[in-house]
């Protein structure tokens, strides 16, 4: 949309508040003015993070563990997918990955050196139920028991994700995976089994990692396991079944976990950023957040699909009952948010939806992965919208990070100053959020170490620690020192 088509008055209307827009363009807003504009409670941006802020790192089972044929583990849809020719950029797979399954003690020492007090890992469903359901593998939780005990011995809190995309292949073959609500029920049974055995020591559980990516990349575009390209109605049914699986798991976790257990989703919400921070654009970005997450997060937090979601879906709307929605919206203790990039910059508009999504110019900057647009303010707006829209009182940033080319310099050090730049800017925005009272309790950096980056194989390295995939040797990058300093000062450097 060419800028010169707008008169100044029209621009003011689009920007939402012409007086503020004008003052921002000329002199920049004073703090008090912006306070009023954003409704901020408290704008201390220089004093660091709250005292009890929880710093951590994150990984997921298939991306780090390896040991795919050990101790009775069954195959997952990611084993099958990665071994299918043409699916993974570098023709690799997670058979050995970083060998975290055997090197976890060493990895926990890396966490300790960073000064992290929390670790988010995922449990491989096919280790626990090799057939997806039925008889549990007697050795299925041994590794996680060892891992959890070692974490606690090192004063690191375990945060377990129950599903990070490694569905037992048997459920895909037998039930059609997430196209069937029987998979949602099997997920709840698995969740019950795990919490019954781990919740004496693990107090925080995430149900499903990133419904949105598993639905779209796995079932619409075929770029992730199980590699399906389903019709629009089937895709919406899959999303509904995943949401139902989340809700059933929340109930199962509460019924089987010990007192004090906490549970929530870990979602990469569709991120909507006000293009210019005016009250009208901020409101428009909130409306967009609610609508563009209507199939999952909004349903979880409101117990309904929005009218606009159902109207837009039309005959492709998912089939569901009122009881399903009650289950999906079972009370949760926190919302986990994976925050990587801006999905949309939003401008208030006089249309039915109340907003326009600005198209991205070709020149918009990105990190090494071309999908990973650099937009630090995403880290401020996503938790803020979630807290404000749904009155959520506890939020964890369950993932944030970037890949880089990570070439060692002549002295052998990986000076990953692009990752440091990214983290510094995103964490500055997170500090802005917490200092204004947005209830973010902790942050899990993705990732502790380089790992199997799904269809990008080992070509996209997201780690604070470099992994040599021949020797499995871990070496801290410069960003590990940056993170250690940030944690030590509890403030962005
Ligand atoms: C997440 N996006 O994926 C996953 O949870 C991790 O397993 C993965 O390794 C990590 O982020 C890095 O990719 C995402 O396009 C992939 O917005 C893409 C997006 C978000 C998250």
């Amino acid at each position: 949309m060419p800028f010169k088509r707008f008169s100044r008055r029209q621009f003011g209307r689009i920007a939402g508040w012409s007086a503020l827009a004008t003052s921002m363009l000329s002199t920049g807003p004073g703090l008090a003015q912006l306070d009023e504009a954003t409704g901020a409670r408290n704008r201390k941006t220089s004093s660091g993070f709250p005292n009890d802020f929880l710093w951590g790192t994150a990984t997921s089972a298939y991306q780090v563990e390896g040991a795919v044929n050990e101790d009775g583990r069954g195959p997952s849809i990611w084993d099958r997918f990665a071994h299918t020719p043409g699916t993974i950029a570098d023709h690799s797979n997670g058979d050995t990955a970083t060998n975290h399954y055997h090197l976890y003690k060493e990895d926990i020492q890396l966490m300790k050196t960073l000064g992290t007090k929390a670790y988010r890992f995922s449990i491989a469903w096919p280790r626990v139920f090799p057939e997806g359901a039925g008889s549990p593998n007697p050795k299925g939780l041994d590794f996680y028991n060892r891992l959890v005990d070692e974490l606690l011995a090192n004063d690191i809190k375990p945060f377990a994700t129950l599903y990070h995309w490694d569905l037992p292949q048997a459920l895909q073959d037998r039930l059609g995976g997430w196209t069937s609500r029987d998979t949602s029920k099997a997920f709840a049974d698995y969740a019950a089994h795990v919490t019954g055995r781990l919740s004496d020591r693990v107090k925080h559980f995430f149900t499903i990692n990133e419904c949105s990516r598993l639905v779209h990349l796995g079932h619409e575009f075929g770029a992730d396991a199980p590699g399906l390209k389903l019709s629009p109605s089937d895709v919406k049914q899959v999303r509904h079944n995943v949401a139902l699986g989340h809700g059933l798991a929340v109930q199962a976790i509460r019924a089987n976990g010990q007192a004090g257990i906490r549970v929530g989703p870990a979602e990469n919400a569709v991120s909507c950023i006000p293009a210019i921070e005016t009250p009208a654009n901020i409101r428009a970005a909130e409306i967009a957040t609610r609508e563009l997450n209507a199939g999952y997060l909004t349903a979880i937090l409101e117990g309904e699909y929005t009218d606009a979601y159902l109207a837009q879906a039309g005959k492709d709307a998912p089939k569901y009952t009122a009881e399903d929605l009650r289950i999906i919206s079972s009370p949760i203790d926190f919302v986990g948010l994976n925050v990587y990039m801006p999905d949309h910059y939003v401008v208030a508009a006089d249309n039915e939806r109340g907003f326009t999504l600005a198209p991205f110019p070709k020149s918009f900057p990105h990190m090494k992965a071309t999908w990973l647009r650099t937009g630090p303010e995403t880290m401020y707006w996503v938790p803020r919208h979630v807290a404000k829209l749904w009155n959520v009182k506890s939020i964890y940033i369950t993932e944030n990070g970037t890949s880089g080319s990570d070439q060692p310099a002549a002295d052998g050090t990986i000076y990953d100053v692009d990752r440091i730049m990214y983290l510094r800017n995103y964490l500055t925005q997170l500090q802005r959020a917490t200092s204004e009272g947005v209830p973010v309790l902790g942050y899990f950096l993705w990732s502790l170490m380089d790992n199997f980056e799904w269809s990008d194989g080992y070509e996209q390295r997201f780690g604070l620690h470099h992994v040599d995939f021949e020797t499995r040797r871990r070496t801290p990058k410069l960003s590990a020192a940056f993170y250690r300093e940030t944690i030590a000062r509890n403030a962005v450097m």
Side-chain angles (χ1 to χ4, degrees):
M1 210 178 324
F3 183 71
K4 64 174 187 283
R5 270 176 41 200
F6 296 106
S7 69
R8 193 183 175 93
R9 192 174 53 80
Q10 281 171 314
F11 175 75
R13 187 169 54 75
I14 285 168
W17 185 6
S18 56
L20 180 61
T22 309
S23 80
M24 285 174 83
L25 291 172
S26 50
T27 57
L31 275 189
Q33 201 174 5
L34 199 61
D35 261 7
E36 196 187 336
T38 60
R41 278 175 284 234
N42 170 8
R43 283 190 62 84
K44 277 183 272 150
T45 50
S46 55
S47 56
F49 289 90
N51 285 333
D52 53 355
F53 195 77
L54 197 59
W55 294 101
T57 55
T59 63
S60 89
Y62 189 70
Q63 293 180 274
V64 298
E65 284 179 2
V68 292
N69 292 317
E70 290 182 43
D71 299 327
R73 177 186 181 276
S76 79
I77 56 173
W78 265 98
D79 297 278
R80 172 74 61 85
F81 187 74
H83 281 274
T84 305
T87 54
I88 310 296
D90 58 0
H91 316 289
S92 64
N93 55 60
D95 287 1
T96 311
T98 73
N99 199 17
H100 183 60
Y101 195 79
H102 295 292
L103 300 179
Y104 68 97
K105 285 192 179 174
E106 183 185 325
D107 293 334
I108 289 170
Q109 289 314 304
L110 301 179
M111 299 173 205
K112 227 181 153 176
T113 304
L114 289 172
T116 52
K117 288 275 187 271
Y119 177 49
R120 174 175 177 243
F121 59 96
S122 83
I123 293 169
W125 184 349
R127 284 197 194 283
V128 186
F129 289 96
E131 296 292 318
S135 320
N137 169 16
K139 291 182 169 181
L141 283 167
D142 287 5
F143 168 66
Y144 303 105
N145 275 315
R146 291 194 293 273
L147 177 73
V148 164
D149 289 344
E150 185 75 8
L151 286 166
L152 292 173
N154 284 278
D155 197 23
I156 297 171
K157 276 199 180 72
F159 281 65
T161 306
L162 288 166
Y163 186 71
H164 203 122
W165 309 346
D166 43 0
L167 187 78
Q169 181 66 44
L171 293 182
Q172 194 67 43
D173 296 342
R174 209 166 65 238
L175 305 174
W178 290 107
T179 64
S180 162
R181 52 196 287 138
D182 288 342
T183 294
S184 320
K185 292 179 194 153
F187 179 58
D189 293 342
Y190 150 71
H193 179 87
V194 171
T195 38
R197 282 151 189 83
L198 289 185
S199 66
D200 57 331
R201 287 153 295 150
V202 180
K203 300 299 177 192
H204 296 81
F205 286 89
F206 299 106
T207 53
I208 290 171
N209 183 71
E210 290 192 5
C211 167
S212 68
R213 176 161 167 178
L214 91 89
V215 169
H216 292 290
L217 267 59
H219 297 82
E220 184 176 8
F221 304 123
D224 278 1
L228 299 178
K229 293 180 184 174
L230 300 177
S231 68
S233 64
D234 287 346
V235 168
K236 289 191 176 61
Q237 197 62 47
V238 166
R239 188 184 295 119
H240 177 77
N241 294 342
V242 173
L244 184 64
H246 157 84
L248 288 169
V250 170
Q251 298 188 344
I253 290 165
R254 292 218 196 283
N256 292 277
Q258 297 206 351
I261 197 171
R262 297 183 176 278
V263 57
E267 184 60 0
N268 65 328
V270 177
S271 58
C272 301
I273 318 301
I276 306 168
E277 295 186 10
T278 63
N281 285 343
I282 292 169
R283 184 69 203 123
E286 288 165 2
I287 295 168
T289 298
R290 181 169 175 267
E291 285 304 342
L292 300 183
N293 291 288
Y296 191 67
L297 209 51
T298 306
I300 288 174
L301 291 160
E302 296 188 16
E304 279 183 88
Y305 290 127
T306 66
D307 294 343
Y309 179 71
L310 293 176
Q312 209 186 6
K315 63 172 179 30
D316 294 330
K319 291 179 188 52
Y320 61 92
T321 64
E323 173 68 1
D324 286 359
L325 289 173
R326 211 184 51 74
I327 294 167
I328 289 169
S329 59
S330 301
I332 50 178
D333 301 302
F334 50 74
V335 172
L337 295 167
N338 294 359
V339 178
Y340 284 92
M341 58 161 192
D343 289 305
H344 300 288
Y345 284 93
V346 178
V347 178
D350 244 343
N351 57 26
E352 211 182 323
R353 298 207 291 178
F355 59 85
T356 295
L357 304 177
F360 277 92
K362 278 213 181 69
S363 54
F364 199 91
H366 61 78
M367 303 302 292
K368 186 192 177 219
T370 50
W371 60 263
L372 214 179
R373 297 184 196 113
T374 316
E377 65 277 25
T378 316
M379 187 55 94
Y380 170 77
W381 286 105
V382 174
R384 185 188 143 132
H385 288 330
V386 168
K388 185 157 173 228
L389 274 169
W390 295 297
N391 198 24
V392 170
K393 300 282 188 223
S394 301
I395 292 172
Y396 289 99
I397 302 301
T398 33
E399 287 181 25
N400 170 243
T402 183
S403 60
S405 31
D406 295 343
Q407 290 299 320
D411 65 4
T413 304
I414 292 175
Y415 293 101
D416 55 340
V417 291
D418 53 346
R419 181 173 290 104
I420 293 172
M421 177 280 291
Y422 175 98
L423 293 172
R424 181 190 295 118
N425 283 289
Y426 277 67
L427 287 172
T428 299
Q429 292 289 329
L430 185 57
Q431 194 169 277
R432 177 186 174 201
T434 55
S435 68
E436 288 181 12
V438 178
V440 179
L441 308 183
Y443 169 91
F444 295 87
L445 196 149
W446 186 273
S447 178
L448 175 66
M449 59 192 152
D450 296 340
N451 57 53
F452 178 73
E453 177 55 16
W454 308 113
S455 56
D456 286 325
Y458 297 98
E459 287 179 356
Q460 297 286 351
R461 294 173 172 273
F462 274 80
L464 291 174
H465 295 90
H466 177 270
V467 176
D468 177 329
F469 287 102
E470 298 292 319
T471 62
R472 266 76 204 174
R473 189 162 163 239
R474 283 89 158 116
T475 311
K477 304 174 192 175
L478 193 64
S479 56
F482 166 80
Y483 196 42
R484 181 162 35 82
E485 286 293 333
T486 305
I487 294 169
R489 297 182 191 209
N490 202 36
V492 182
M493 309 271 303

